[in-house]
Amino acid sequence: GENVEQHPSTLSVQEGDSAVIKCTYSDSASNYFPWYKQELGKRPQLIIDIRSNVGEKKDQRIAVTLNKTAKHFSLHITETQPEDSAVYFCAASYSSASKIIFGSGTRLSIRP
Amino acid sequence: NAGVTQTPKFQVLKTGQSMTLQCAQDMNHEYMSWYRQDPGMGLRLIHYSVGAGITDQGEVPNGYNVSRSTTEDFPLRLLSAAPSQTSVYFCASSPGSIMNTEAFFGQGTRLTVV
């Protein structure tokens, strides 16, 4: 069935270090993989996305990689800052059913 | 543009009561969806719509109804509230008829069923 698994559920890193969050998806037809950031009490907001014809995408300190063969995609945050503390969600599209499924979220904490 | 607007922001219901969560967008987006967010379970899709007059079920549709009579509005109806429906509900919209572009979320509705 349609499923997106996300790990870890919680992550604590020292300020300035890197953070990596990993997701796997079940449908080989998925072609769109967004990442959302949700700060405490706020709505989720898109921070970066990648499509299946691209293996990697960067935007300043944030990068996403996609391995279609293994059905894995990952979020990399470098030089972490206190404002990176939030819950991060990965997601995958299921175009055969016109819907998108989210992972269970990763709570990232940045230690000063 | 206001974006995606949800009302109310907070609601307390008694078991068995019914209510409608409102969602409106002013971006002329074709795709709209409803999610519920529970601790440790991420965002789970309840219902979605690819355009006016078209709706379909998501991962957790039981206990909820939707309709899409206009492009702008996508209300979510709880038929007979249960404590298991205590959650934060988010409405989202996206341009195009398929969910493969950025989703714009409303501010959420925190619902408690007692």
Side-chain angles (χ1 to χ4, degrees):
Chain A
E2 301 143 352
N3 189 41
V4 177
E5 293 191 0
Q6 182 171 349
H7 301 282
S9 57
T10 60
L11 180 61
S12 178
V13 301
Q14 194 77 32
E15 182 178 350
D17 287 351
S18 296
V20 180
I21 302 170
K22 298 181 179 181
C23 290
T24 60
Y25 60 99
S26 58
D27 186 355
S28 58
S30 295
N31 59 8
Y32 177 65
F33 307 90
W35 286 87
Y36 287 82
K37 176 183 180 182
Q38 185 181 29
E39 297 177 350
L40 189 62
K42 301 285 184 65
R43 71 192 77 188
Q45 291 190 298
L46 182 74
I47 54 172
I48 194 167
D49 57 15
I50 191 167
R51 298 184 187 277
S52 58
N53 58 344
V54 175
E56 183 176 4
K57 183 177 179 180
K58 287 184 178 180
D59 183 4
Q60 300 183 333
R61 296 185 297 108
I62 294 174
V64 58
T65 58
L66 172 65
N67 183 329
K68 284 199 68 180
T69 302
K71 298 181 189 174
H72 290 173
F73 58 114
S74 301
L75 178 71
H76 305 253
I77 306 175
T78 59
E79 301 173 14
T80 53
Q81 300 170 5
E83 54 264 35
D84 295 328
S85 293
V87 178
Y88 291 81
F89 294 99
C90 64
S93 66
Y94 287 85
S95 55
S96 59
S98 297
K99 57 186 177 182
I100 194 160
I101 303 297
F102 282 81
S104 55
T106 296
R107 183 174 298 278
L108 175 63
S109 301
I110 307 301
R111 303 191 304 271
Chain B
N1 285 354
V4 180
T5 303
Q6 286 182 239
T7 56
K9 290 185 179 180
F10 302 95
Q11 183 71 48
V12 179
L13 287 179
K14 293 183 178 178
T15 298
Q17 285 185 317
S18 62
M19 79 158 296
T20 299
L21 278 61
Q22 301 292 343
C23 176
Q25 53 92 8
D26 60 1
M27 297 175 283
N28 201 31
H29 287 172
E30 294 187 51
Y31 191 101
M32 296 186 74
S33 54
W34 276 101
Y35 291 87
R36 60 177 289 173
Q37 183 175 27
D38 302 295
M41 303 191 74
L43 294 159
R44 292 185 293 170
L45 182 64
I46 304 172
H47 285 286
Y48 64 99
S49 169
V50 299
I54 306 169
T55 63
D56 209 341
Q57 296 181 349
E59 302 169 271
V60 288
N62 292 341
Y64 308 94
N65 273 356
V66 292
S67 60
R68 186 92 181 271
S69 56
T70 67
T71 300
E72 294 79 17
D73 300 301
F74 191 44
L76 178 72
R77 282 183 289 276
L78 279 69
L79 309 174
S80 177
S84 60
Q85 293 179 304
T86 294
S87 188
V88 179
Y89 291 84
F90 285 98
C91 177
S93 74
S94 179
S97 60
I98 295 176
M99 190 63 163
N100 63 356
T101 56
E102 179 178 359
F104 295 84
F105 285 84
Q107 75 272 35
T109 296
R110 184 173 294 275
L111 176 67
T112 303
V113 183
V114 298

